[in-house]
Amino acid sequence: MNTDNLSPPSFTEARNRLQKARSAGMHPDYWYAVEYDSKVRREQVVEVKFWHNSIALYRDNNEQLHAIENRCAHRQLKLSLGKVDRDNLVCAYHGWTYDNQGKLVHIPHELFDKPMPTCQLKTYPVQVRYGLIWIFPGDRSQSQIRKIPDLLELEGENPWACVPLDFTWKAHHSMIIDNVSDFTHAHLHRKYRPFVDAKLTRCEEAGDRVFVSYETLIGGGKISGLFVDRQQVNTNAIDLCYEYPYQWSNTGDKIKHWCFILPIDERTSRVFFLFYFNAIKIPFTSILFPQKLMTYVLKIANPILIKPLLSQDGFAVEAEQEGYETHFNKQVVELNPAVHLFQKLTIHKWEEHLGIKNSKYLLRKTGISKIRNSHEKLSD
Ligand code: FES
Ligand SMILES: [Fe+2]
């Protein structure tokens, strides 16, 4: 079928697993990282987006953060175009003013003998953790129950060295999940060799998690290999998990990362990575960098090693998005069984949000999927 001039199907129109995965949103009843804490200054307002929903995020004159539906109730201008006045948000056009609970509290022009209108905008719970601002876009009552993941290594007196990175990629969030936990793409990274000869040793779904392990040489590249202390860290294996809606990895309990995706729309995602380490050695020696120095080492390593590496992933997922939008009706072959489970979980959670019951994408409570050798086609 010629798909020229056609758009990929919506979730309800999707006819197979790939189309469903590539059109699914992310369940809003979770905390999502939306911006760095340092990027929103006092009395500044910025726009952030969660799955087509624009949110005005601002810091008031008391340093408190607030998140409000980004739409003036008068003529629908984005409130992020306005300004912060003490702890209120003032629309740029006629100056209608909203308090931090989203309530219209002031109109600075005549009311034409009408009473003050009652307008209430939606507000969102906000938190700051690990240098990131988190918003809960879904059912407010769930915001106390669902937690931001605990990254205990980044807390306490001796936190691990961590340098955050973020990217905005023109790609669907499910492509990013498929990318970060599927180690069949060593070819893409042949210059940096972050993992070599990966062999899948575990592929298991358990509730809203998909666990994956590989036997592989981690940090095998010429430069990255200099910093990895193979005496201290088991670099022959890595554990990863799609812990909905987040993703993490663990190498020998010494090198870890979390990936927090902010789904913006079907073809745009912002990705926050936190890589953290507690053992990096001084090149050509077996001496470990002191914990405090590691942060500086990472700051240097970041633009040389980590950012270029992840930019290759960005190149790949953006190209995949383009490929999908051109050929969404074509059948594809997917060999890694883990990718099937990632997509199944993404679909299941979106169906859960939409209230679709009895779907074939329901995951088992706990269970182990055998690692299959057969070629699996994405036709179901
Ligand atoms: S559009 Fe916002 S005050 Fe008129
Ligand atoms: Fe990669």
Side-chain angles (χ1 to χ4, degrees), residues 179-180 182-183 185-186 188-189 194-195 309-310 312-313:
N179 168 274
V180 285
D182 166 28
F183 277 19
H185 69 281
L188 175 73
H189 300 309
F195 46 85
L309 172 69
L310 291 170
Q312 294 183 323
D313 292 306

Side-chain angles (χ1 to χ4, degrees), residues 12 23-24 41 57 115 126 144 182 185 188 192 215 222 238 273 302 309 324 341 351 373 378:
T12 44
S23 56
R41 295 186 307 275
L57 172 66
V126 189
Q144 303 291 325
D182 166 28
H185 69 281
L188 175 73
Y192 299 105
E215 263 173 33
K222 281 200 189 82
I238 185 169
F273 289 100
N302 182 11
L309 172 69
Y324 176 69
L341 296 188
E351 290 188 333
N373 293 320
L378 289 175

Side-chain angles (χ1 to χ4, degrees), residues 141-152:
S141 67
Q142 295 294 308
S143 66
Q144 303 291 325
I145 300 160
R146 289 255 158 85
K147 305 282 183 212
I148 295 170
D150 285 322
L151 279 57
L152 299 176

